[in-house]
Amino acid sequence: MIKSLVILMFSLPAFSLVITEDMRWKEYEHGAYQYLPPMGSEKVVNKVEVKTNPIVRDQDGFGTCYLFAMTSLMDQSCLKSGNCSKDDQISVLDVLGKTQLKSGNQSEFLGLNGGNLSQVIDALTKGEKVSLKFAKEECAPYQQIENFNNPDNDFRIVDYPQLLAINEIYHQVKDNSLKDGVCNKCSEDFFKDFFPFSSEMLDNLSRAATRITSINAFEEFLNEVLIPKKCQEDKSQVKLPPIGFKQERITDVDTFRKKMTELFEKDKSAAISSCTWTRYCDDPSVRYMEMCPKEQRQRYCGGHAYLLSGFRKICDDQNKCRNQYRVHNSWGKNFDVFNDSGWVNEDSLFKAYKDLGNQLVTYTED
């Protein structure tokens, strides 16, 4: 009887899963990433993936998805060129420092709390094809700032004592302590008044503070402090061959699909942005979103950037087909584990891409 039941289950025709509003509220917070692996008689009939996929990283709770997406594109370009291996990833913090979003806000600066792909391209290449070099991730790891203690994935610099201290030092040195090009307050005692920095960090702070006249934004100052001098030496850097980026505005799904498959066949990923729908409740006393009354449920579109690195077509024995893309996300390996190795449905992904409004596809130029 059990054997017959198993056979019946696997011989059922593919079905369309009806998602109710309650199900969406409770389970589908991130609408772009709905997935359904081959079911019943369905089979993958067409599949193309990039071969030189960079490693999956984790942005933690910061709004740095745009940096991770661009860094992964550059990692892939470096891998393809043979200039580096998977052990030579580019430091995301170095990309952050070289992007310089110049928010000038002491409580919440844009570099760690949002940005977009075009800003990184403009900062790094100014639209030209250029040779770039960065510190290696192992030398200047992102973990220096990981926000382990923030369960709400909401970045405020005041919640991170070391980052807050560096921020305050930057503004004080920039505004008050520089005379005749000399940093009059740049002593270890001055820095230690803000935070018990390590000896290496004290050296980095001193070096950064003495360069304050040529530093235009806190992100750049943070780069000087978090990227040790040894990581900035030529022999310790990842050197990319001349690289350029192209952005295309694609607004219809057929053109989008064609472009993606063309890129994947050339062993290229593409970076896109889409809505990540986030829930909130009008009643602030409700701690768990699942308990929010229907009439008080609200959503807003939070932009998220990531790579697409594969396409597949799934059909059943009645020739009913659907399409999926493989998402290379900066949410750590758990995203792949719990989302069918990153394969998500085209209809939900493209809708989220359209909902965001910018509809740009970013990739490296030949």
Side-chain angles (χ1 to χ4, degrees):
M1 178 65 181
I2 293 176
K3 182 177 179 182
S4 300
L5 181 60
V6 171
I7 292 172
L8 177 64
M9 288 173 63
F10 281 92
S11 62
L12 287 173
F15 61 90
S16 177
L17 183 63
V18 178
I19 309 298
T20 67
E21 178 54 32
D22 273 351
M23 290 171 67
R24 284 188 187 280
W25 181 258
K26 293 177 181 177
E27 304 294 341
Y28 288 84
E29 182 172 354
H30 306 303
Y33 317 111
Q34 294 177 23
Y35 65 95
L36 184 66
M39 302 287 287
S41 66
E42 286 187 326
K43 293 181 180 178
V44 176
V45 298
N46 183 23
K47 182 178 178 181
V48 57
E49 290 186 80
V50 300
K51 301 178 183 66
T52 50
N53 234 347
I55 64 167
V56 175
R57 304 209 200 194
D58 193 343
Q59 71 187 74
D60 198 51
F62 295 108
T64 49
C65 57
Y66 71 104
L67 289 169
F68 277 82
M70 292 302 299
T71 302
S72 290
L73 277 182
M74 291 188 286
D75 276 338
Q76 186 183 41
S77 182
C78 195
L79 283 168
K80 284 180 63 177
S81 71
N83 280 29
C84 57
S85 69
K86 284 198 174 184
D87 294 327
D88 296 324
Q89 299 98 35
I90 293 166
S91 166
V92 176
L93 293 182
D94 202 10
V95 179
L96 167 68
K98 289 181 168 67
T99 300
Q100 299 174 29
L101 297 183
K102 302 181 183 178
S103 67
N105 187 328
Q106 283 185 258
S107 64
E108 186 180 89
F109 56 93
L110 288 175
L112 292 175
N113 204 37
N116 64 60
L117 306 176
S118 300
Q119 288 171 316
V120 184
I121 293 171
D122 290 344
L124 296 181
T125 71
K126 294 181 172 59
E128 303 294 329
K129 201 168 187 178
V130 297
S131 297
L132 298 169
K133 56 185 179 180
F134 299 94
K136 293 181 181 180
E137 180 68 20
E138 65 178 359
C139 195
Y142 186 75
Q143 284 77 11
Q144 293 178 86
I145 63 165
E146 274 190 332
N147 108 37
F148 294 112
N149 299 317
N150 192 339
D152 297 324
N153 282 350
D154 181 32
F155 173 74
R156 295 187 312 145
I157 196 170
V158 295
D159 294 333
Y160 303 92
Q162 180 166 283
L163 282 178
L164 178 62
I166 297 170
N167 185 278
E168 290 177 342
I169 289 169
Y170 167 71
H171 284 280
Q172 283 207 25
V173 172
K174 188 81 172 176
D175 296 341
N176 304 316
S177 67
L178 202 68
K179 293 180 180 177
D180 302 323
V182 177
C183 181
N184 300 305
K185 290 187 176 180
C186 297
S187 66
E188 288 192 3
D189 288 341
F190 171 69
F191 297 139
K192 284 181 177 179
D193 281 344
F194 295 88
F195 186 83
F197 293 105
S198 68
S199 57
E200 184 175 43
M201 286 288 281
L202 289 169
D203 289 342
N204 294 346
L205 280 164
S206 179
R207 185 180 74 248
T210 55
R211 290 193 58 248
I212 202 72
T213 53
S214 62
I215 291 176
N216 298 311
F218 173 61
E219 288 85 352
E220 189 178 355
F221 186 79
L222 186 66
N223 179 271
E224 286 284 331
V225 175
L226 295 181
I227 313 295
K229 188 175 181 180
K230 62 181 180 182
C231 304
Q232 300 179 21
E233 296 170 355
D234 250 22
K235 62 182 180 181
S236 300
Q237 293 190 317
V238 175
K239 301 179 185 67
L240 279 73
I243 187 173
F245 299 95
K246 188 166 183 179
Q247 291 189 300
E248 284 188 49
R249 189 171 300 280
I250 301 177
T251 58
D252 69 279
V253 69
D254 292 332
T255 306
F256 183 87
R257 187 185 311 124
K258 182 181 178 183
K259 186 66 189 182
M260 291 302 161
T261 52
E262 285 177 356
L263 290 171
F264 303 154
E265 285 167 356
K266 294 178 181 178
D267 195 27
K268 290 186 178 186
S269 295
I272 67 168
S273 299
S274 71
C275 280
T276 295
W277 293 100
T278 302
R279 305 172 296 177
Y280 69 95
C281 191
D282 278 340
D283 183 351
S285 68
V286 175
R287 293 185 60 192
Y288 301 102
M289 290 296 105
E290 290 76 6
M291 305 299 292
C292 184
K294 285 185 179 180
E295 64 275 9
Q296 293 183 313
R297 296 175 180 177
Q298 301 290 341
R299 284 192 182 92
Y300 68 90
C301 166
H304 181 52
Y306 48 89
L307 301 190
L308 297 182
S309 61
F311 170 84
R312 72 183 184 185
K313 185 175 184 179
I314 299 170
C315 299
D316 64 13
D317 56 8
Q318 303 298 312
N319 205 31
K320 184 177 180 181
C321 303
R322 55 194 175 89
N323 301 315
Q324 294 187 324
Y325 295 95
R326 188 168 191 185
V327 171
H328 184 95
N329 212 342
S330 53
W331 288 349
K333 294 182 179 178
N334 281 349
F335 176 83
D336 282 358
V337 171
F338 294 106
N339 290 272
D340 189 29
S341 298
W343 289 102
V344 302
N345 295 330
E346 180 183 74
D347 54 356
S348 58
L349 182 141
F350 192 77
K351 181 181 185 306
Y353 162 82
K354 288 272 287 186
D355 285 344
L356 187 64
N358 72 347
Q359 286 117 42
L360 286 176
V361 174
T362 302
Y363 54 93
T364 55
E365 292 188 280
D366 289 324

